[in-house]
């Protein structure tokens, strides 16, 4: 009896073993035993031929309806056509030349058989050309085994390939099934009994040769537990090992840079942020390394243009005139002092247009206090979040700006006349230059109300009821509207001809509660100099243009600053130079003088924040390296350049990894290893950040070795974007239409991207070059259209750009952008594109992060099936960032029935990040959950569906944690140790041993 690790060649012979190894990645007896049937054909139940997918390799059980030989090519050629039926549809088989003789003899009307081949279309009918077949009655030689299997009620259909049909795999499984009792059962007996799970040997026999559906269910339950439990034991041991490593406790220090930063921090942490902060600081204070995943990262910004207006006790003042010490009005009507001013440079600015026609400008991260529908509860949302969710399904505005409490003002000017008379005289005069004097505009509430009553009594009807002030010139109409809004009311201006306006007025009832104004639209206003202010008030909110309430906040760097206070250093690893530069700029802007430690004008308790990227000049790089090794720099932000051997730290205490999915484990581990440079065997704390929504089951598996924190406010997606799949091969006119749409967008004053998977200047691999391990695909993909399509090199930027410039986009200004360009050239192209000097940018995924051109509205992604779901979602986020709607076209040559097309259709169907993360996981769940799929290692999950089996995973995690806590070395569970070794090969063990 063969052991489970015995090569299949000894059992099955060289030819069969070679096919199984090369095309299904099955090498040992154990591999084949764990190659489970995909589904089962029931006796008497024929596969529905009407549901066959086009261009897929299929196995069907059907009956021959008729068979005939036809001649062609002047009688010199002949073909056999066989028609199959199952009651739901018909399928044609074709055989040519000398290959017709045996099937002509075997496939007689009434015969039932199994057939395997790739579904194609000829003359608009489905067919299988030269399929393999196995008769299911006893008339044909060699059919006895198949008859026996079929008589067993349930016929297993295995994941197969073109080179080996399902029934041949079944015969191979029969040869190794006697080895099933040799399988080592990893589940402790107490767990098996407690969960009522069948023994492993019984499960293997039942999954391959079930007598009933109950057998299949029992086997599946057991095998899912095997995979979930062994994986969770590995992760539990990883977590436990982390807690045993030595690390320097980074305890919060009073009176340091963190307290100084908090003192000027212009917002109150949300409950979620406070909870996450406590979790992080509790971890940092231990003498074992933190190992935490932070989901959701709030962006920075929260700025308004310098000409935006902020309400002060004397009236409105421009944002640009705000200084530390300026008194401002907060929504409750109280006064508060500005205790921080943060210039942000030029940023993209948006204009919120309210239902009464007034407008307010701010950046995309600015926070607004809003209310939805008739709900009294207030929410705080960014401009971006509002843009993404602006209207209800019926098209009505979803959000209203919360009303501020009307307040007394006093600009210090004289008010010698009765305010009511001032209003009446202005209404009677109505000259083009008529204005409400500043002293009466910025006056106590009762005086402003008196002026308004005078205006309305002389120019329309009584105040307090709906009224319309008729035919005022713009200056007076604007002043009247301002008075109404300052009293908590609504005022809408409408043109009345010859430069005059009617002003429709609504004032609050006697209870004085201000009237809401809906956010009707959010328009892109261009790039402008902007700045933030922080307000020393618990609400950290202030009143801006037209008595609109706003709220200011910025990203907290509190974990990094806490480590700096304890004498350590913090490093943030970003995936691209663009993102690293953004992080560095945001951090230095937020910290202000605290980021200038040791420099003239820097704060006494400050530190230095340095940037380290690959394209830096030699002198700047030398200085940054010196600042790190001496400890002068407490914080460094960088790209992969941080990982290089030359980079040494004085005392690296915290590693922050941004956008975890963009980094390999080796890169993350290399940076953590630098914590050993000054303190022997001291491991830095680790905080992994991702803005990508992660389902709970993924967090328990893919990130199962990390403790997880989730910020309540996850980053919003982008503006609604129309996404469509363009089937370039099936319908070439659709692709032609796609280029027409790009031209239409450019003609409308917009710009577009064309994304390709490859640059195009790579050297072609030698014809005889060996493919990477696993490149022939797993069982599900072998022989699939993906394999055939992969034979064509991915479309390249340099090729496509030339074809477009000379063809469908001729006459447009087309440029290329890719990662191998010199930094200056890349910057020049991006500058010209952002400035509108280019119409179309043909690029690689270098635009995935950090590119923000709101005028770009169209994106065409070539060979979209070559990209992952998450990457397509990220790329799509580059459009729809302005006022105009975005358009994303996913071009693919895959046939409609291919899984790749189904994946693209799923991306086109939703903009929801969590939903896409589920789709992404379901699509690639046969890839290795431990992250080794990229190296071609087979999946350790064959039965477990990470999304569907959440309950099993959660229960297995609980059981595994308890077992590992009691017996970390698994000394009492030798079978479990063997299973760990078998399922977690050397590469995966290395993965788990790293961070």
């Amino acid at each position: 009896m063969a052991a489970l690790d015995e090569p299949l060649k000894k059992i099955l012979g060289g030819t069969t073993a070679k096919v199984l190894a090369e095309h299904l990645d099955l090498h040992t007896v154990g591999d084949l035993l764990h190659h489970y049937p995909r589904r089962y054909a029931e006796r008497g139940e024929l596969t529905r031929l009407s549901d066959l997918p086009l261009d897929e390799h299929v196995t069907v059980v059907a009956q021959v309806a008729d068979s005939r030989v036809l001649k062609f090519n002047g009688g010199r050629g002949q073909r056999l056509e066989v028609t199959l039926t199952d009651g739901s549809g018909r399928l044609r088989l074709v055989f040519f030349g000398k290959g017709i003789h045996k099937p002509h003899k075997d496939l007689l009307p009434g015969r039932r058989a199994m057939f395997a081949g790739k579904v194609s279309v000829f003359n608009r009918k489905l067919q299988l050309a030269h399929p393999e077949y196995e008769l299911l009655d006893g008339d044909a030689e060699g059919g006895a085994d198949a008859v026996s299997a079929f008589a067993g009620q349930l016929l297993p259909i295995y994941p197969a390939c073109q080179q080996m049909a399902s029934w041949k795999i079944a015969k191979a499984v029969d040869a190794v099934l006697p080895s099933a009792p040799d399988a080592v059962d990893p589940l402790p007996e107490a767990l098996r009994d407690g969960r009522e799970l069948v023994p492993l040997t019984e499960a293997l026999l039942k999954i391959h040769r079930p007598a009933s559906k109950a057998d299949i269910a029992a086997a599946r339950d057991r095998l899912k537990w095997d995979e979930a439990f062994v994986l969770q034991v590995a992760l539990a041991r990883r977590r436990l090992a982390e807690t045993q490593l030595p690390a320097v406790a980074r305890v919060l220090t009073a009176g340091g840079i963190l307290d100084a930063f908090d003192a000027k921090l212009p917002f109150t942490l949300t409950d979620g942020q406070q909870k996450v902060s406590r979790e992080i600081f509790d971890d940092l204070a231990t003498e074992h390394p933190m190992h935490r995943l932070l989901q959701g990262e709030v962006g920075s910004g929260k700025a308004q243009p310098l000409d935006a207006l902020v309400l002060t006790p004397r009236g409105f003042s421009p944002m640009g005139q705000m200084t530390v010490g300026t008194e401002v009005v907060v929504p409750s009507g109280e006064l508060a002092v500005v205790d921080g001013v943060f210039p942000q440079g030029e940023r993209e600015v948006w204009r919120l247009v309210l239902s009464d026609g007034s407008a307010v400008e701010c950046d995309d991260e600015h926070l607004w206090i809003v209310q939805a529908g008739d709900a009294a509860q207030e929410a705080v949302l960014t401009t971006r979040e509002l843009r993404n969710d602006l209207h209800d399904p019926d098209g009505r505005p979803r959000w209203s700006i919360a009303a501020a409490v009307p307040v007394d003002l006093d600009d210090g000017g004289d008010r010698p006349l009765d305010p009511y008379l001032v209003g009446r005289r202005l209404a009677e005069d109505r000259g083009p230059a008529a204005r409400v004097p500043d002293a009466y505009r910025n006056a106590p509430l009762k005086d402003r109300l008196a002026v308004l009553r005078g205006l309305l009594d002389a120019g329309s009807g009584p105040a307090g009821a709906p009224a319309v002030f008729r035919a005022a010139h713009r200056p007076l109409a604007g002043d009247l509207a301002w008075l109404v809004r300052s009293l908590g009311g609504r005022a809408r201006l409408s043109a009345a001809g010859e430069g005059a306006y009617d002003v429709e007025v609504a004032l609050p009832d006697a209870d004085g509660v201000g009237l809401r104004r809906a956010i009707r639209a959010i328009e892109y206003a261009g790039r402008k100099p902007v700045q933030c202010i922080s307000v020393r008030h618990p609400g950290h909110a202030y009143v801006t243009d037209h008595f609109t309430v706003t709220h200011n906040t910025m990203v907290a760097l509190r974990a990094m600053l806490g480590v700096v206070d304890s004498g350590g250093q913090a490093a943030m690893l970003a995936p691209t130079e663009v993102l690293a530069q953004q992080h560095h700029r945001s951090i230095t802007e937020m910290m202000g003088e605290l980021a200038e430690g040791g420099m003239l004008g820097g704060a006494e308790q400050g530190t230095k924040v340095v940037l380290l990227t690959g394209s830096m000049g030699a002198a700047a790089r030398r200085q940054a390296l010196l600042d790190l090794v001496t400890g002068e720099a407490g914080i460094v932000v960088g790209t992969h350049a941080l990982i290089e051997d030359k980079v040494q730290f004085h005392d690296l205490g915290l590693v922050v990894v941004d956008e975890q999915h963009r980094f390999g484990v080796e890169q993350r581990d290399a940076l953590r290893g630098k914590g050993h440079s000054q303190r022997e065997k001291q491991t830095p704390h680790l905080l992994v950040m991702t803005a990508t929504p992660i389902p709970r089951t993924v967090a328990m598996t893919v990130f199962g070795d990390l403790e997880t924190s989730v910020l309540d406010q996850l980053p919003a997606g982008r503006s609604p974007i129309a996404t469509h799949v363009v089937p370039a091969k099936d319908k070439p006119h659709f692709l032609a239409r796609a280029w027409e749409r790009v031209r239409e967008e450019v003609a409308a004053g917009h710009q577009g991207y064309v994304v390709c998977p490859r640059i195009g200047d790579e050297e072609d691999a030698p014809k005889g070059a060996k493919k990477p391990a696993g490149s022939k695909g797993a069982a599900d993909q072998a022989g699939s259209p993906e394999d055939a399509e992969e034979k064509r090199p991915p479309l390249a930027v340099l090729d496509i750009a030339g074809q477009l410039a000379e063809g469908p986009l001729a006459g447009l200004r087309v440029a290329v952008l890719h990662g191998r360009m010199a930094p200056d050239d890349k910057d020049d192209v991006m500058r010209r594109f952002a400035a509108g000097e280019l119409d179309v940018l043909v690029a690689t995924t270098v635009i995935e992060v950090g590119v923000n051109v709101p005028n770009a509205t169209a994106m065409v992604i070539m060979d979209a099936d070559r990209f992952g779901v998450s990457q397509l979602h990220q790329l799509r986020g580059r459009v729809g960032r302005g006022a105009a709607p975005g358009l994303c076209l996913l071009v693919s040559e895959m046939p409609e029935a291919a899984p790749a097309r189904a994946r693209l259709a799923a991306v086109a169907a939703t903009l929801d990040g969590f939903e896409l993360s589920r789709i992404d996981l379901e699509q690639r769940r046969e890839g290795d959950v431990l992250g080794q799929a990229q190296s071609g290692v087979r999946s350790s999950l064959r039965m477990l569906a990470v999304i569907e089996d959440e309950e099993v995973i959660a229960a297995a995690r609980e059981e595994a944690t308890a077992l590992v806590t009691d017996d970390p070395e698994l000394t009492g569970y030798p079978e479990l140790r063997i299973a760990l070794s078998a399922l977690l090969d050397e590469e995966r063990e290395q993965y788990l041993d790293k961070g």
Side-chain angles (χ1 to χ4, degrees), residues 214-232:
D215 281 355
I216 298 171
R220 284 182 181 276
D221 287 348
R222 166 58 212 253
L223 295 170
K224 284 181 178 182
W225 256 95
D226 271 19
E227 293 176 4
F229 183 70
V230 172
L231 173 62
Q232 291 299 335

Side-chain angles (χ1 to χ4, degrees), residues 215-271:
D215 281 355
I216 298 171
R220 284 182 181 276
D221 287 348
R222 166 58 212 253
L223 295 170
K224 284 181 178 182
W225 256 95
D226 271 19
E227 293 176 4
F229 183 70
V230 172
L231 173 62
Q232 291 299 335
V233 165
L235 294 170
R237 294 184 75 198
R238 172 75 179 89
R239 291 194 301 274
L240 185 66
E242 278 290 320
T243 66
Q244 306 306 312
L245 290 173
V248 178
R250 307 292 175 175
V251 182
L252 288 179
T253 304
I257 190 172
L258 177 60
D259 284 350
F261 182 75
D262 281 351
K264 59 185 285 184
L265 192 64
F267 72 104
T268 301
L269 293 174
T270 65
D271 290 343

Side-chain angles (χ1 to χ4, degrees), residues 70-86:
L70 302 174
K71 294 187 181 296
F72 62 94
N73 199 15
R76 291 191 297 274
Q78 57 182 355
R79 72 176 182 272
L80 171 66
E81 288 190 1
V82 179
T83 303
L84 305 181
T85 181
D86 69 347

Side-chain angles (χ1 to χ4, degrees), residues 722-770:
T723 308
H724 304 284
V725 178
V726 178
K729 200 168 189 176
D730 301 346
K731 300 176 181 177
H733 61 286
F734 276 35
L735 181 58
R737 176 61 185 142
W739 302 126
E740 287 176 12
R741 284 291 291 114
V742 173
R743 295 192 75 97
E744 289 168 7
E745 289 297 311
V746 173
H750 301 303
Q751 296 160 280
Y753 299 101
V754 177
V755 181
C756 301
R758 197 164 58 95
I759 296 173
D761 58 356
E762 305 90 346
E763 292 183 14
D764 291 334
K767 289 185 179 179
K770 187 178 179 182

Side-chain angles (χ1 to χ4, degrees), residues 652-666:
L652 180 57
L654 173 65
V655 173
V656 179
V657 181
D658 190 25
E659 295 295 342
Q660 161 66 17
H661 66 283
R662 302 288 298 277
F663 288 100
V665 177
E666 293 78 11

Side-chain angles (χ1 to χ4, degrees), residues 128 175 189 202 232 234 265 286 305 442 676 706 760 812 838 873 907 911 955:
L128 298 181
E189 188 175 349
E202 184 181 334
Q232 291 299 335
L265 192 64
T286 66
N442 299 321
H676 298 199
L706 300 170
L812 301 187
L838 298 172
H873 187 48
V907 173
L911 290 166

Side-chain angles (χ1 to χ4, degrees), residues 774-791:
S775 64
K776 293 194 178 180
D780 277 73
Q781 293 188 329
S784 71
E786 278 88 339
D787 289 340
E789 180 65 9
E790 286 291 341
K791 293 175 184 175

Side-chain angles (χ1 to χ4, degrees), residues 761-953:
D761 58 356
E762 305 90 346
E763 292 183 14
D764 291 334
K767 289 185 179 179
K770 187 178 179 182
K771 291 185 180 179
S775 64
K776 293 194 178 180
D780 277 73
Q781 293 188 329
S784 71
E786 278 88 339
D787 289 340
E789 180 65 9
E790 286 291 341
K791 293 175 184 175
R792 170 178 68 73
L795 295 174
V797 166
L798 299 179
D799 299 334
I800 293 295
Q803 293 170 19
L804 293 177
E806 296 172 6
L809 301 186
L812 301 187
R813 298 168 296 176
V814 179
V816 301
L817 182 69
H818 58 76
R820 289 213 197 95
M821 293 169 63
D824 289 347
D825 293 340
K826 280 193 285 189
D827 291 344
D828 181 61
V829 170
M830 276 312 306
R831 181 195 59 76
R832 290 165 57 208
F833 189 65
E837 297 171 13
L838 298 172
D839 298 318
V840 177
L841 199 57
V842 184
T844 59
T845 54
V846 70
I847 66 164
E848 184 182 349
V849 174
V851 175
N852 183 23
V853 180
N855 192 47
T857 55
M859 174 174 285
V860 181
I861 303 179
M862 307 301 293
D863 279 348
D865 46 88
R866 309 279 182 120
F867 298 95
V869 170
S870 296
Q871 199 167 31
L872 290 172
H873 187 48
Q874 288 274 355
L875 286 168
R876 172 170 60 181
R878 298 301 105 196
V879 296
R881 302 167 76 89
L887 173 68
C888 181
L889 302 175
L890 308 174
V891 179
S892 173
E893 294 190 1
M894 285 289 140
E896 186 173 2
R901 277 284 294 277
R903 187 170 71 245
L904 296 182
V907 173
T910 182
L911 290 166
D912 183 279
F914 271 102
E915 179 61 25
L916 284 173
S917 70
R918 291 175 66 89
I919 292 168
D920 192 20
L921 189 69
E922 287 167 348
Q923 292 288 345
R924 59 183 172 82
R925 73 177 178 86
E926 303 213 1
D928 198 312
V929 77
L930 292 182
Q932 293 299 311
Q934 290 179 350
S935 64
V937 179
R938 268 187 314 109
S939 170
S940 58
L941 301 186
R942 298 171 180 82
M943 186 64 73
L944 193 70
V946 178
I947 286 291
E948 298 166 13
D949 297 321
E950 180 174 345
E951 289 184 10
V952 174
I953 293 169

